[in-house]
């Protein structure tokens, strides 16, 4: 190849070019690809279709990109740690299929109004500061919690902790 005549714009995919249609948000899928590459010493791109087996191998996901939709997160069944950046625009997140999740950081997810942690029994750390849209947080099934950060949540009026004796 003659590098002087190569069109590098083809390297950047758009949402319509994402091969794995489980993921609707390009930024989120980019974070998933980056996490897979880091965990597996690979060099996949956003145009590659990660299989369910490959997705299940992702254990840590740290996404500081602006994310609107986390559709597909249920495929990350091996996820142990999840951090979504302060600039996330996520309104809803269902983590009920992420049964191995131990650490969750949603600090600054100001648009979040709905979260499902009903089956996250292994959760030990939850950082949930500056999440302005949540009225109620049910952590009754997260009995292993030892670290809980709920600072600056103006609308949070109901917190269910029933079996959280380690806090």
């Amino acid at each position: 190849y003659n590098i002087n005549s190569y069109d590098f714009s083809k390297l950047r995919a758009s949402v319509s070019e994402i091969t794995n249609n489980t993921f609707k948000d390009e930024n989120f899928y980019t974070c998933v690809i980056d996490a897979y590459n880091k965990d597996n010493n690979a060099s996949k791109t956003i145009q590659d279709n990660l299989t369910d087996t490959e997705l299940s191998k992702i254990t840590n996901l740290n996404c500081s990109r602006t994310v609107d939709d986390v559709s597909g997160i249920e495929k990350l069944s091996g996820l142990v740690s999840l951090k979504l950046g302060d600039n996330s625009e996520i309104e809803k997140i269902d983590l009920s299929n992420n049964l191995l999740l131990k650490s969750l950081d949603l600090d600054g997810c100001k648009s979040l109004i709905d979260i499902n942690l009903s089956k996250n029994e292994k959760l030990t750390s939850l950082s949930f500061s500056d999440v302005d849209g949540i009225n109620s947080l049910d952590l009754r099934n997260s009995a292993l919690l030892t670290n809980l950060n709920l600072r600056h949540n103006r609308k949070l009026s109901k917190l269910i902790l029933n079996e959280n004796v380690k806090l």
Side-chain angles (χ1 to χ4, degrees):
Y1 289 134
N2 180 351
I3 196 151
N4 294 326
S5 65
Y6 187 77
D7 182 5
F8 285 98
S9 66
K10 293 178 182 175
L11 293 177
R12 178 108 168 91
S14 70
V15 166
S16 62
E17 294 178 81
I18 294 175
T19 304
N20 193 322
N21 61 11
T22 301
F23 298 90
K24 295 181 174 103
D25 187 295
E26 177 182 350
N27 284 334
F28 185 60
Y29 191 56
T30 298
C31 290
V32 169
I33 291 286
D34 291 346
Y36 177 81
N37 287 339
K38 184 177 180 183
D39 282 355
N40 296 282
N41 197 24
S43 57
K44 301 266 187 179
T45 70
I46 195 169
Q47 295 167 329
D48 290 318
N49 185 19
L50 291 179
T51 65
D52 286 353
T53 301
E54 289 171 321
L55 291 168
S56 71
K57 291 181 181 178
I58 298 171
T59 57
N60 298 296
L61 181 59
N62 183 347
C63 189
S64 59
R65 296 172 174 267
T66 300
V67 173
D68 295 321
D69 189 335
V70 292
S71 294
I73 200 162
E74 67 278 0
K75 298 284 188 175
L76 307 179
S77 60
L79 201 60
V80 174
S81 175
L82 174 63
K83 178 178 170 70
L84 296 172
D86 287 331
N87 59 357
S88 291
E89 297 297 323
I90 301 160
E91 291 184 3
K92 180 180 180 180
I93 186 166
D94 183 348
L95 298 169
S96 62
N97 288 326
N98 305 94
L99 302 178
L100 301 178
L101 194 63
K102 291 182 180 180
S103 176
L104 177 59
D105 184 338
L106 297 173
D107 289 348
C109 290
K110 294 186 181 294
S111 298
L112 191 65
I113 56 174
D114 187 16
I115 185 166
N116 184 345
L117 298 170
S118 64
K119 296 182 181 176
N120 300 99
E121 296 175 358
K122 296 186 181 212
L123 197 62
T124 59
S125 177
L126 174 60
S127 194
F128 206 72
S129 66
D130 296 310
V131 180
D132 294 335
I134 296 288
N135 295 321
S136 176
L137 187 58
D138 186 348
L139 299 171
R140 79 180 93 195
N141 294 326
S142 300
L144 298 178
L145 267 176
T146 56
N147 182 29
L148 179 60
N149 176 3
L150 297 173
R151 288 183 313 218
H152 308 294
N153 289 289
R154 293 180 200 104
K155 291 185 180 178
L156 186 63
S157 60
K158 184 176 182 183
L159 179 62
I160 303 168
L161 294 170
N162 293 10
E163 300 296 324
N164 300 82
V165 295
K166 295 187 175 197
L167 283 175

